[in-house]
Amino acid sequence: MENKTAKWLLDIINSIGEITEFQEKEDIISFSHYRSNKLVKRAIERNLSIIGEAVNRIKQSDSDTFSKIEHARAIISLRNHVIHAYDGISDENIWSILINHLPKLEAEVKTLIGE
């Protein structure tokens, strides 16, 4: 694995860590709490865009690693949506990603870092 790829994988892990920290620090344990806290929502959206950009850079530089990230194209798509269609972001969609997909991505990336 190239050094650049390892750096981008660490960026993903760091962003997931920040999202988890925001949720814990602000006691964001339910959708209604998430929806009502604009500061945390924006911080989480920013970190999701960082994750998407890191995956996009991996796609352009390391196709082997990119192919091992299960939902890589959807992650990039989410980044584009957060960046370019910010006024159409669905709180429900973001919450679903936080609960259902982020833990899986974290485990996947940790495995890739360990390879």
Side-chain angles (χ1 to χ4, degrees), residues 9 12 40 59 68 105:
L9 291 172
I12 294 168
V40 170
K59 175 186 173 196
K68 295 176 183 175
L105 177 63

Side-chain angles (χ1 to χ4, degrees), residues 28 30-42 89-93 95 98:
I28 306 297
S30 71
F31 176 68
S32 62
H33 283 116
Y34 169 77
R35 181 176 241 173
S36 66
N37 192 322
K38 287 185 182 180
L39 182 64
V40 170
K41 281 175 41 174
R42 297 301 177 253
I89 296 172
S90 162
D91 290 339
E92 294 83 1
N93 188 32
W95 183 254
L98 296 178

Side-chain angles (χ1 to χ4, degrees), residues 55-79:
V55 171
N56 192 43
R57 290 179 182 191
I58 292 167
K59 175 186 173 196
Q60 296 170 5
S61 177
D62 185 345
S63 60
D64 183 52
T65 301
F66 178 77
S67 69
K68 295 176 183 175
I69 300 173
E70 185 178 355
H71 298 289
R73 293 189 192 289
I75 294 166
I76 294 168
S77 178
L78 175 66
R79 176 252 181 223

Side-chain angles (χ1 to χ4, degrees), residues 1-108:
M1 177 184 306
E2 296 181 31
N3 287 338
K4 295 184 295 185
T5 301
K7 186 247 187 251
W8 295 322
L9 291 172
L10 287 174
D11 289 343
I12 294 168
I13 292 298
N14 290 335
S15 288
I16 292 171
E18 283 188 20
I19 289 170
T20 302
E21 184 180 317
F22 296 142
Q23 289 177 291
E24 291 171 355
K25 186 179 270 187
E26 297 298 323
D27 199 29
I28 306 297
I29 57 172
S30 71
F31 176 68
S32 62
H33 283 116
Y34 169 77
R35 181 176 241 173
S36 66
N37 192 322
K38 287 185 182 180
L39 182 64
V40 170
K41 281 175 41 174
R42 297 301 177 253
I44 287 172
E45 291 167 4
R46 169 69 176 145
N47 276 284
L48 290 173
S49 69
I50 290 169
I51 291 167
E53 183 61 24
V55 171
N56 192 43
R57 290 179 182 191
I58 292 167
K59 175 186 173 196
Q60 296 170 5
S61 177
D62 185 345
S63 60
D64 183 52
T65 301
F66 178 77
S67 69
K68 295 176 183 175
I69 300 173
E70 185 178 355
H71 298 289
R73 293 189 192 289
I75 294 166
I76 294 168
S77 178
L78 175 66
R79 176 252 181 223
N80 292 337
H81 187 76
V82 168
I83 298 292
H84 300 294
Y86 62 89
D87 57 345
I89 296 172
S90 162
D91 290 339
E92 294 83 1
N93 188 32
I94 299 297
W95 183 254
S96 175
I97 289 165
L98 296 178
I99 301 305
N100 299 312
H101 301 290
L102 218 53
K104 293 174 187 173
L105 177 63
E106 182 177 29
E108 199 172 63

